[in-house]
Structure formats: C-alpha cells, structure tokens
Amino acid sequence: MRKILFIINRKAGTDREKRLEGIIRRYLTPKAFSVEITHLEYLGHGTDLAKAAVANGTDTVVAVGGDGSINEIAQGLVGSNTALAIIPLGSGNGLARALKIPLKVSRALEVIADGRRQAIDVGYANEYLFLSNAGVGFDALVADQFRHKTKRGLWGYAKLVIKSFNSYKGPSYEINVDGKSLQERAFLLTVANGNQFGYEFKLAPTANVFDGKLDLCVVPPIKFLGLIPIGLYSLLGNIDKTRYMQHYTGETIVVKSKELQHLQVDGDAVPLKEEGKVAFRIHPAALQVIVNRT
C-alpha cells in the first residue's frame, strides 16, 4: 500500500481545507493508499515534516500550496527516494506550471494517484535551495518588499513594481559562468532551473528541470515603458529571441556587485550572509517528483 502524506498550507482557508480533505479521500481510497493529512504550523515545519516522512518510509509527500511552501517541503526530500507531489494552490504556481501539473485539484490528484515519478534538478543560491528560479535584481528587491505585505496576488505585486521602478538603476555585475567572465549592467539578473516564473511568465523559455543546467537571464536597464514588451514577450515565451534579454547556460554561476543587497529564491526573499556575492550551482536529478504523463 502506497503511503502518502499531504502537507497543507493553512493560507488556503478553513472551509476550503475541509472540502479539500474530502476530495483527497474520495480520490485516494483506503484500499490502495494510506493517506495522512497534516498542516504547516511554523516557518520550516514543512522541511521537518518531510524529513520525518522520509525516515518513516513514506512514498510521496504532497505539498498543498504555493511555490514557497513547495520549496520548504522539498528541502526535506532532496536526495531521498520519497517523491514530491504538488497540488498548486498558490498565486503564481511556477513549478507546477513548468511540470504541467493541473491547477484543478481533482486533476492534480489523478496525477498523484497515477504515481509516475521522475528526478528533477535543483538549484542552490549560496545555501538556499530553489526549484524554479533565483534572482538578485529588481525581482529580488520587490520580493523583499512583498514579504511585508498581507495581501498577495498579481495585482499587489504589480503595484510594488510600479512603486519601486524609478528608484532602481540597475547595478553593474561581475559574472562568472563555468569559468567565463562577463561584466553586465542589469535590471533583472535571474538564474532559472525551470522555465516558469508563475502566471505563465517565461523569462527563461528554454530552461528545463531535467537538463542538468542553469539558465542565466540578464535583462539590461530599461525605461518604464520597456516593462510592457518584456511582459508581453515573457507571456509569449520568446523573450530570449529579443534584444530585451541576454541568455547564458552553465552549471555554476557566480555573481558579484557592490550594489548586490537582495536575493530571492522561488519568489521569496532570503537574507544574504555575504553581501555583494551569490554563487549559484545545479544539483542534477536530486529530487524525485510525481509528474504528469501528458
């Protein structure tokens, strides 16, 4: 019998939780599945629960929430034989979209029941794990401001972008990609593992969580109206073919700048222990994930 642990982020809301638990038990019947359902209670709880699940021989741990809680749970599963599965209930749902996990709960449960697994790459920015992307540019500044907001969602994020844009000049970076040195000024400097940044925005359209490479996306300093074509080309999935972005791939990427003060991983701001430098690296095929057959 397949042991499955569901870890639910309580931001989903109490009534929704009750409905969700009913749907889970309807799709994963006791005859075939041993199902346990628990909830996140504190920062880092997802990692603790995932590590305990590995020790208990659990087959699959299901992250029910957004990219932040998925990241936290994945930290406890990297390098183990316990698979991560996703029911995407976040706002952007970058990793779920990259893996083509259905956004509808019932269809995501069908994928989990099917149980097809595949090992994906994970990235590290200094000591921080990321599954989708990490960045040190304007996105990291906005992520740092966004974490203080009570209201989430695309509109709240867009308002912060508009508010912060004029004061952001785009630092000059020293970049090393697998030994090759670059000097670039950048509005966005983002390292991607997957092609999705959430909401169907693809700053790294050719990035792939199975290829053993990281994709470096450098967007030069732009004027405010430049946000429109960048957003449009990202939605269309062809920004890498335009003048708005320079694209590189590598296994290790080191970024330095005197103005480097912020870092985001999978959309969440994290503290910099060494200001002015971030080292990115790929860990190939490090995480077992339940994937969609289609």
Side-chain angles (χ1 to χ4, degrees), residues 14-29:
T14 307
D15 290 339
R16 192 178 187 184
E17 274 178 33
K18 289 177 182 176
R19 292 197 304 273
L20 186 61
E21 291 188 20
I23 295 169
I24 289 169
R25 298 195 186 280
R26 190 160 70 243
Y27 273 82
L28 303 178
T29 60

Side-chain angles (χ1 to χ4, degrees), residues 182-185 188 190 203 215-221 239-240 242-248:
L182 311 164
Q183 186 93 26
E184 302 282 358
R185 280 191 69 213
L188 289 176
T190 305
L203 197 62
D215 289 58
L216 172 64
C217 309
V218 180
V219 175
I239 191 170
D240 55 330
T242 73
R243 63 184 175 89
Y244 291 99
M245 196 189 83
Q246 297 168 50
H247 176 253
Y248 310 89

Side-chain angles (χ1 to χ4, degrees), residues 39-286:
H39 304 86
L40 294 178
E41 302 289 353
Y42 54 85
L43 188 65
H45 193 201
T47 305
D48 294 341
L49 289 169
K51 286 180 177 177
V54 171
N56 291 335
T58 301
D59 178 88
T60 303
V61 173
V62 185
V64 185
D67 287 331
S69 48
I70 292 167
N71 180 300
E72 186 178 300
I73 291 163
Q75 289 175 44
L77 301 178
V78 170
S80 78
N81 199 41
T82 299
L84 170 74
I86 300 168
I87 293 182
L89 290 185
S91 46
N93 298 313
L95 182 63
R97 292 177 192 269
L99 292 170
K100 296 183 170 55
I101 302 297
L103 300 186
K104 189 175 179 181
V105 171
S106 58
R107 291 195 58 219
L109 281 166
E110 288 172 359
V111 171
I112 294 165
D114 189 40
R116 181 173 182 252
R117 54 166 67 200
Q118 194 168 352
I120 69 167
D121 307 332
V122 303
Y124 285 90
N126 291 343
E127 70 274 29
Y128 300 106
L129 172 82
F130 65 94
L131 304 174
S132 295
N133 67 86
V136 297
F138 185 70
D139 56 329
L141 170 66
V142 174
D144 186 59
Q145 296 173 344
F146 196 50
R147 68 192 172 108
H148 302 295
K149 298 289 183 182
T150 52
K151 288 188 176 181
R152 313 290 281 183
L154 183 58
W155 177 237
Y157 191 84
K159 285 197 288 187
L160 273 179
V161 168
I162 294 166
K163 183 180 176 183
S164 307
F165 183 88
N166 288 333
S167 61
Y168 192 81
K169 301 305 177 189
S172 177
Y173 296 97
E174 293 177 37
I175 307 166
N176 189 293
V177 183
D178 288 350
K180 180 183 177 182
S181 296
L182 311 164
Q183 186 93 26
E184 302 282 358
R185 280 191 69 213
F187 168 70
L188 289 176
L189 196 155
T190 305
V191 175
N193 182 38
N195 69 347
Q196 271 279 355
F197 285 66
Y199 304 105
E200 293 297 342
F201 283 92
K202 301 180 184 74
L203 197 62
T206 59
N208 189 319
V209 293
F210 305 108
D211 67 0
K213 299 282 187 181
L214 292 172
D215 289 58
L216 172 64
C217 309
V218 180
V219 175
I222 54 170
K223 294 182 178 179
F224 185 76
L225 288 178
L227 290 173
I228 297 172
I230 286 173
L232 181 62
Y233 288 128
S234 294
L235 283 170
L236 292 171
N238 61 1
I239 191 170
D240 55 330
K241 297 178 176 64
T242 73
R243 63 184 175 89
Y244 291 99
M245 196 189 83
Q246 297 168 50
H247 176 253
Y248 310 89
T249 60
E251 295 176 20
T252 58
I253 300 167
V254 180
V255 178
K256 298 179 184 177
S257 174
K258 292 178 181 177
E259 300 168 79
L260 198 164
Q261 297 177 312
H262 303 284
L263 170 64
Q264 65 84 9
V265 292
D266 288 338
D268 285 341
V270 293
L272 273 175
K273 290 187 178 177
E274 183 182 354
E275 196 169 296
K277 178 183 176 181
V278 178
F280 302 90
R281 69 186 191 279
I282 192 76
H283 190 169

